[in-house]
Amino acid sequence: MGNEEKTKQKMGFTIIKNDPTDGHKGFGVGSLSLENVSPVIIDIEEGVARVEIGAMHARSDTERGIKFTTNREDSEGGKGYWLVWVTIDHKQDGPYYAGVAACEMVINREKRRGYKMLADHVNRMDKSMKRHILVDFMDDRSKAILRDFLQSHNKEMWDRSEEKLHKDLNT
């Protein structure tokens, strides 16, 4: 595929080659990378999903100032979140959501404590990059938030995505 074709297919996405948080405050925030994987954080209580590039290094706005442990009790009473790794790839007819893998997080801002399994987050990012769909274990509300986010971000990419993604996010 030539450069001309690639340019045509980028469809307004910001292509992020380097760490966008490295010296460029806010660059790339809200964009999905066509090169590889982008972190989308779902705030279950607020009912919103947003791209938070800082999550690539566990430095998203959502995670900032929180000490994470693998003990759920440390963050008891906190808010539930999903960190969803979204990988975009190209088919003959254009880009699509190729890998989508979710991992759980709980954050208690008052206590400044959070729960997450870092190994799980790394493994799920890897699964997403290998074009796996891992979302069927999410709660229905979160599935709907993610489905709506992916559809509104780019309906054509959603339509080109694997049937498994559509099926697994159908609440």
Side-chain angles (χ1 to χ4, degrees):
M1 171 167 42
N3 271 352
E4 200 176 300
E5 269 183 66
K6 254 189 182 168
T7 306
K8 278 184 201 164
Q9 289 181 341
K10 89 172 170 185
M11 297 170 23
F13 287 95
T14 304
I15 295 179
I16 299 163
K17 291 186 175 164
N18 303 316
D19 180 357
T21 57
D22 192 7
H24 297 283
K25 292 261 185 278
F27 173 81
V29 171
S31 305
L32 287 175
S33 168
L34 280 181
E35 284 209 329
N36 48 24
V37 66
S38 298
V40 174
I41 293 185
I42 295 174
D43 181 327
I44 302 167
E45 191 179 296
E46 300 292 325
V48 295
R50 64 188 160 273
V51 176
E52 288 197 35
I53 295 298
M56 293 294 285
H57 308 289
R59 288 198 313 249
S60 66
D61 289 343
T62 303
E63 297 164 292
R64 200 167 277 135
I66 302 297
K67 179 177 174 20
F68 284 96
T69 68
T70 55
N71 183 351
R72 282 183 185 276
E73 289 170 17
D74 292 346
S75 59
E76 203 172 331
K79 282 174 61 170
Y81 294 86
W82 291 99
L83 171 54
V84 184
W85 300 107
V86 178
T87 301
I88 295 172
D89 201 356
H90 291 275
K91 290 182 178 180
Q92 193 82 32
D93 53 348
Y96 71 107
Y97 301 119
V100 183
C103 7
E104 184 186 14
M105 272 194 315
V106 177
I107 295 176
N108 187 320
R109 286 243 165 258
E110 265 178 47
K111 294 180 182 176
R112 298 182 63 165
R113 291 287 179 268
Y115 163 82
K116 72 177 172 184
M117 302 292 283
L118 188 58
D120 187 43
H121 285 225
V122 172
N123 289 337
R124 296 284 166 85
M125 180 172 71
D126 185 57
K127 294 278 191 206
S128 174
M129 292 171 78
K130 290 177 177 164
R131 314 308 185 248
H132 293 273
I133 307 293
L134 297 167
V135 294
D136 55 338
F137 49 85
M138 295 171 72
D139 59 282
D140 286 349
R141 176 174 164 80
S142 298
K143 285 180 185 180
I145 295 165
L146 181 58
R147 182 187 65 234
D148 293 349
F149 172 81
L150 293 174
Q151 286 176 341
S152 66
H153 195 274
N154 190 301
K155 181 78 168 83
E156 291 76 26
M157 284 175 42
W158 169 261
D159 291 343
R160 283 189 285 269
S161 296
E162 301 298 320
E163 189 54 41
K164 179 171 175 41
L165 180 63
H166 296 194
K167 192 170 97 353
D168 288 355
L169 289 181
N170 211 353
T171 52

